[in-house]
């Protein structure tokens, strides 16, 4: 407001706009859906554990913003049905059924970008052994369960059906309302704000299993399994570069190596998400405590 600038917000993921248009969110109905359809968002489904979970290409410990809640929710569930490209250890231990699904390169589909443009693509590789694209697995299951409306022979048929339902809807992004947020006072002593960035090569099941990509990531950005903090913050806490530190968030904690990084804001600590060394911590962005420990 003070600078007269324009704020633009990028979507979180390549197909966020497509999900909204399809009504794939709890408080907004898909075109043609029943008026009483509503539900919980993904965070609510895990923060308040449910009896049954259906997971579509989700590794609970690595794909969720709060891995502690996700793991606890899956472990207490009566039934877990998973559709997965890889055999995740938590799914292997808890899921009643794991359907093997094709990787994203092995299936066709359509994304809708932030400009409202529909971008269709074809699979570029054959699915591994008995794996099938997720939409095909869901279609066949619906047929076995005698559920109407699942007679698609191709992903293009599902795309065209949605396009027809949205024919009279403006799909371009609308004007954004800018809200001014007041800064919260920082808690003193050892309580810091966590910056839970997801490193580029840990963002999905495929890249996080690539050793060459992890070697490249380390070469470019250094070790990601660290607690990075500003030199002034480190000095206040009596922490030196290379010290072992205990990072505590709510009821969980992990031990990492401290790295002095002037790019990190003061009173904050950079602790990556979606990596094995930080599994069990809570929200990617929240308050944490940092304490120096002996090696």
């Amino acid at each position: 407001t003070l600078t007269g600038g324009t704020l633009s917000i990028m979507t979180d993921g390549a197909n966020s706009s497509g999900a909204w248009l399809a009504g794939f969110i709890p408080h907004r109905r898909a075109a043609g859906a029943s008026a009483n359809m509503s539900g919980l968002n993904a965070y609510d489904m895990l923060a308040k554990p449910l009896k049954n979970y259906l997971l579509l290409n989700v590794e609970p410990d690595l794909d969720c913003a709060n891995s502690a809640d996700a793991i606890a929710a899956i472990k207490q569930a009566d039934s877990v049905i998973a559709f997965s490209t890889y055999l995740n250890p938590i799914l292997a231990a808890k899921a009643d059924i794991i359907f093997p699904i094709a990787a994203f390169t092995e299936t066709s589909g359509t994304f809708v970008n932030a400009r409202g443009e529909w971008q269709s693509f074809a699979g570029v590789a054959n699915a591994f052994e008995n794996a099938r694209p997720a939409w095909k697995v869901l279609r066949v299951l619906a047929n076995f369960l005698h559920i109407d409306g699942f007679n698609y022979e191709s992903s293009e048929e599902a795309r065209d059906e949605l396009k027809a339902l949205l024919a009279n809807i403006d799909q371009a992004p609308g004007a954004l309302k800018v809200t001014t947020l007041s800064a919260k006072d920082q808690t003193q002593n050892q309580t810091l704000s966590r910056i839970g960035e997801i490193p580029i090569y840990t963002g999905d099941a495929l890249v996080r299993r690539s050793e060459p990509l992890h070697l490249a990531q380390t070469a470019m950005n250094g070790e990601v399994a660290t607690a990075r903090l500003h030199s002034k913050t480190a000095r206040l806490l009596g922490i030196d570069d290379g010290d072992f530190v205990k990072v505590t968030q709510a009821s969980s904690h992990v031990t990492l190596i401290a790295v002095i990084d002037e790019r990190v804001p003061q009173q904050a600590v950079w602790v990556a998400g979606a990596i094995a060394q930080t599994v069990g911590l809570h929200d990617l962005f929240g308050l944490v405590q940092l304490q120096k420990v002996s090696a």
Side-chain angles (χ1 to χ4, degrees), residues 236-273:
L236 289 172
L237 298 176
I239 294 172
D240 295 320
D241 191 82
D243 283 346
F244 284 91
V245 292
K246 179 180 178 182
V247 182
T248 303
Q249 190 173 25
S251 58
S252 303
H253 64 85
V254 298
T255 299
L256 301 170
I257 296 176
V259 172
I260 305 303
D261 189 334
E262 304 302 326
R263 297 172 299 175
V264 178
Q266 296 181 46
Q267 296 298 320
V269 57
W270 185 96
V271 177

XYZ file of all heavy atoms in Angstrom, residues 236-273:
285
model
N 23.655 -15.019 20.648
C 22.778 -14.875 21.808
C 22.512 -16.219 22.494
O 22.327 -16.286 23.710
C 21.446 -14.241 21.387
C 21.482 -12.763 21.010
C 20.134 -12.330 20.437
C 21.830 -11.912 22.230
N 22.495 -17.289 21.685
C 22.198 -18.612 22.230
C 23.459 -19.390 22.599
O 23.376 -20.529 23.078
C 21.387 -19.422 21.214
C 20.019 -18.855 20.825
C 19.372 -19.704 19.737
C 19.098 -18.779 22.039
N 24.624 -18.786 22.378
C 25.871 -19.468 22.694
C 26.162 -20.637 21.778
O 26.765 -21.640 22.190
N 25.753 -20.518 20.519
C 25.929 -21.597 19.549
C 26.976 -21.191 18.518
O 26.961 -20.066 18.005
C 24.584 -21.915 18.847
C 23.592 -22.491 19.860
C 24.787 -22.886 17.689
C 22.189 -22.658 19.304
N 27.887 -22.096 18.232
C 28.911 -21.868 17.217
C 28.638 -22.728 15.991
O 27.939 -23.754 16.062
C 30.301 -22.205 17.774
C 30.711 -21.281 18.902
O 30.437 -20.069 18.789
O 31.291 -21.777 19.894
N 29.192 -22.321 14.868
C 29.073 -23.085 13.640
C 29.620 -24.491 13.848
O 30.731 -24.669 14.358
C 29.843 -22.382 12.513
C 29.540 -22.982 11.154
O 28.511 -22.620 10.564
O 30.342 -23.819 10.690
N 28.842 -25.507 13.514
C 29.275 -26.896 13.670
C 28.827 -27.549 14.959
O 29.013 -28.766 15.129
N 28.214 -26.775 15.874
C 27.705 -27.362 17.121
C 26.500 -28.252 16.839
O 25.749 -28.026 15.891
C 27.272 -26.259 18.096
C 28.452 -25.595 18.780
O 29.567 -26.135 18.713
O 28.249 -24.503 19.371
N 26.307 -29.248 17.700
C 25.075 -30.023 17.658
C 24.013 -29.270 18.449
O 24.285 -28.783 19.557
C 25.274 -31.425 18.243
C 26.001 -32.368 17.338
C 27.390 -32.483 17.406
C 25.316 -33.128 16.400
C 28.070 -33.344 16.566
C 25.990 -33.995 15.555
C 27.369 -34.100 15.640
N 22.799 -29.172 17.873
C 21.720 -28.458 18.556
C 20.466 -29.324 18.574
O 20.194 -30.086 17.641
C 21.402 -27.102 17.881
C 22.548 -26.127 18.062
C 21.077 -27.284 16.407
N 19.722 -29.199 19.652
C 18.453 -29.892 19.800
C 17.343 -28.939 19.372
O 17.184 -27.865 19.943
C 18.255 -30.323 21.256
C 16.942 -31.033 21.534
C 16.859 -31.413 23.008
C 15.539 -32.083 23.361
N 15.469 -32.406 24.814
N 16.597 -29.324 18.361
C 15.477 -28.522 17.863
C 14.193 -29.141 18.393
O 13.862 -30.281 18.062
C 15.461 -28.488 16.321
C 14.312 -27.614 15.827
C 16.789 -27.995 15.775
N 13.495 -28.393 19.245
C 12.271 -28.901 19.865
C 11.071 -28.130 19.344
O 11.067 -26.901 19.318
C 12.335 -28.769 21.394
O 13.482 -29.471 21.885
C 11.071 -29.330 22.039
N 10.059 -28.869 18.924
C 8.815 -28.259 18.441
C 7.657 -29.027 19.042
O 7.468 -30.211 18.752
C 8.757 -28.286 16.913
C 7.631 -27.460 16.315
C 7.715 -27.386 14.808
O 8.277 -28.256 14.150
N 7.147 -26.338 14.242
N 6.895 -28.353 19.900
C 5.806 -29.004 20.637
C 6.382 -30.208 21.389
O 7.303 -30.055 22.172
C 4.671 -29.394 19.694
N 5.881 -31.403 21.110
C 6.315 -32.586 21.856
C 7.426 -33.357 21.158
O 7.822 -34.427 21.614
C 5.117 -33.522 22.065
O 4.563 -33.901 20.810
N 7.935 -32.830 20.051
C 8.929 -33.557 19.267
C 10.259 -32.817 19.238
O 10.312 -31.600 19.405
C 8.425 -33.752 17.833
O 7.177 -34.426 17.820
N 11.325 -33.550 19.007
C 12.631 -32.901 18.868
C 13.540 -33.734 17.983
O 13.374 -34.965 17.852
C 13.291 -32.683 20.239
C 13.626 -33.950 20.963
N 14.792 -34.646 20.743
C 12.936 -34.648 21.902
C 14.818 -35.713 21.517
N 13.707 -35.751 22.226
N 14.498 -33.072 17.344
C 15.533 -33.733 16.549
C 16.855 -33.056 16.863
O 16.890 -31.934 17.376
C 15.249 -33.652 15.031
C 13.940 -34.351 14.682
C 15.232 -32.203 14.558
N 17.949 -33.730 16.560
C 19.275 -33.153 16.754
C 19.926 -32.923 15.393
O 19.990 -33.843 14.569
C 20.160 -34.080 17.603
O 19.552 -34.258 18.896
C 21.551 -33.476 17.788
N 20.384 -31.695 15.163
C 20.987 -31.319 13.894
C 22.297 -30.567 14.143
O 22.583 -30.170 15.275
C 20.036 -30.423 13.089
C 18.657 -30.996 12.736
C 17.765 -29.910 12.167
C 18.802 -32.157 11.748
N 23.049 -30.366 13.090
C 24.277 -29.566 13.172
C 23.934 -28.118 12.850
O 23.225 -27.820 11.885
C 25.341 -30.092 12.193
C 25.757 -31.506 12.589
C 26.557 -29.166 12.166
C 26.724 -32.147 11.619
N 24.413 -27.186 13.678
C 24.164 -25.764 13.462
C 25.085 -25.225 12.370
O 26.267 -25.565 12.314
C 24.369 -24.983 14.753
N 24.511 -24.394 11.512
C 25.276 -23.730 10.456
C 24.973 -22.239 10.514
O 23.798 -21.840 10.520
C 24.911 -24.284 9.060
C 25.564 -23.447 7.963
C 25.331 -25.743 8.942
N 25.990 -21.415 10.604
C 25.792 -19.961 10.604
C 25.535 -19.509 9.168
O 26.320 -19.787 8.270
C 27.025 -19.231 11.177
C 27.342 -19.780 12.579
C 26.773 -17.733 11.212
C 26.211 -19.668 13.568
N 24.407 -18.832 8.973
C 23.992 -18.418 7.629
C 23.372 -17.027 7.733
O 22.286 -16.869 8.298
C 22.988 -19.420 7.069
C 22.678 -19.192 5.588
O 22.819 -18.042 5.126
O 22.276 -20.154 4.910
N 24.064 -16.020 7.211
C 23.603 -14.636 7.336
C 22.330 -14.364 6.537
O 21.704 -13.322 6.701
C 24.709 -13.668 6.876
C 26.031 -13.834 7.611
C 25.899 -13.660 9.114
O 25.059 -12.844 9.549
O 26.624 -14.336 9.872
N 21.931 -15.294 5.668
C 20.702 -15.104 4.893
C 19.454 -15.366 5.721
O 18.351 -14.957 5.336
C 20.706 -16.035 3.675
C 21.840 -15.767 2.683
C 21.883 -16.856 1.624
N 22.140 -18.173 2.228
C 22.136 -19.314 1.546
N 21.899 -19.296 0.237
N 22.389 -20.460 2.152
N 19.612 -16.058 6.841
C 18.463 -16.378 7.698
C 18.141 -15.176 8.579
O 19.041 -14.609 9.206
C 18.761 -17.612 8.570
C 17.585 -17.922 9.486
C 19.088 -18.815 7.686
N 16.882 -14.750 8.675
C 16.538 -13.614 9.533
C 16.884 -13.892 10.992
O 16.919 -15.050 11.430
C 15.019 -13.475 9.351
C 14.718 -14.172 8.075
C 15.710 -15.285 7.958
N 17.133 -12.842 11.729
C 17.363 -13.000 13.160
C 16.093 -13.500 13.835
O 14.986 -13.274 13.358
C 17.813 -11.671 13.768
C 19.153 -11.180 13.237
C 19.576 -9.877 13.876
O 19.511 -9.703 15.097
N 20.018 -8.926 13.054
N 16.269 -14.196 14.970
C 15.163 -14.786 15.723
C 14.422 -15.856 14.928
O 13.247 -16.127 15.152
C 14.175 -13.706 16.198
C 14.749 -12.711 17.178
C 15.203 -13.383 18.475
O 14.537 -14.279 18.989
N 16.345 -12.976 18.993
N 15.124 -16.451 13.979
C 14.545 -17.528 13.180
C 15.582 -18.621 12.989
O 16.784 -18.409 13.188
C 14.067 -17.005 11.829
N 15.128 -19.801 12.607
C 16.037 -20.904 12.311
C 15.482 -21.661 11.103
O 14.289 -21.953 11.025
C 16.217 -21.843 13.523
C 14.878 -22.392 14.006
C 17.175 -22.989 13.182
N 16.358 -21.930 10.146
C 15.988 -22.670 8.935
C 16.145 -24.149 9.220
O 17.249 -24.631 9.485
C 16.891 -22.233 7.789
C 16.569 -22.806 6.434
C 15.834 -22.240 5.449
C 17.036 -24.068 5.902
N 15.799 -23.058 4.333
C 16.525 -24.184 4.591
C 17.830 -25.094 6.415
C 16.780 -25.283 3.778
C 18.078 -26.207 5.612
C 17.556 -26.290 4.308
N 15.024 -24.883 9.191
C 15.040 -26.331 9.407
C 14.198 -26.952 8.302
O 12.977 -26.767 8.262
C 14.476 -26.717 10.788
C 14.443 -28.234 10.944
C 15.308 -26.096 11.908
N 14.831 -27.670 7.398
C 14.151 -28.202 6.221
C 13.079 -29.215 6.589
O 13.158 -29.910 7.604
C 15.170 -28.838 5.281
N 12.068 -29.301 5.732
C 11.054 -30.343 5.833
C 11.270 -31.377 4.744
O 12.146 -31.227 3.886
